[in-house]
Amino acid sequence: MSGSAQVIDLKRYRLAKLISDAGRQQGELARMMRDSAHERTQLAEALNGAQKHLARIADSYKVLLVRLKREKDFRDACQEAAELEDLDEMIRRRDALVRELESIRRTPRESTGT
């Protein structure tokens, strides 16, 4: 035989192929994990923004409920004052109620920043 024949060790070839495939798969897995971490970060930021928005809505709702309660109390007090037969007491209550109404109208705007 004039040419030299090379013997290929199939076990080593298969092992090298498996190592190469495993390295490629490890790289893909690392990329997928980075992508997943990025998506989780974006989701956390979106949820944080939504939570802040809902907190602002809840605060506005609380202010509105307080204002509605104060206005109801004002209307009830007006009704009670109108039913009194004592003119001086009616005037005193009317003046107090006017101050309360002014306070009701001022307070929510100042606390909500509108």
Side-chain angles (χ1 to χ4, degrees):
M1 290 187 155
S2 62
S4 64
Q6 278 187 310
V7 177
I8 299 175
D9 186 351
L10 290 178
K11 288 181 184 179
R12 284 188 179 184
Y13 175 77
R14 287 184 189 139
L15 181 59
K17 179 80 170 134
L18 287 173
I19 291 172
S20 173
D21 290 346
R24 183 182 43 76
Q25 290 174 356
Q26 185 178 14
E28 289 176 18
L29 179 60
R31 181 190 52 76
M32 290 170 55
M33 291 176 69
R34 281 190 305 272
D35 291 348
S36 176
H38 181 69
E39 289 173 4
R40 284 193 308 272
T41 299
Q42 287 179 324
L43 180 59
E45 290 171 355
L47 289 173
N48 190 31
Q51 182 180 9
K52 287 179 183 178
H53 181 68
L54 289 174
R56 282 191 301 271
I57 290 171
D59 289 343
S60 296
Y61 185 69
K62 287 177 192 174
V63 168
L64 177 62
L65 288 178
V66 168
R67 181 176 177 174
L68 290 173
K69 169 84 170 83
R70 290 176 71 188
E71 288 181 357
K72 181 189 177 302
D73 292 346
F74 171 78
R75 285 190 304 273
D76 292 346
C78 285
Q79 182 67 34
E80 289 174 14
E83 293 170 357
L84 291 176
E85 293 183 15
D86 183 350
L87 186 59
D88 291 334
E89 180 64 12
M90 287 175 64
I91 292 170
R92 186 190 68 71
R93 286 190 183 190
R94 183 204 64 197
D95 292 345
L97 292 171
V98 166
R99 288 189 298 276
E100 178 67 15
L101 181 59
E102 289 171 354
S103 174
I104 290 171
R105 290 181 176 165
R106 250 192 337 269
T107 302
R109 289 190 184 116
E110 292 170 357
S111 65
T112 60
T114 57

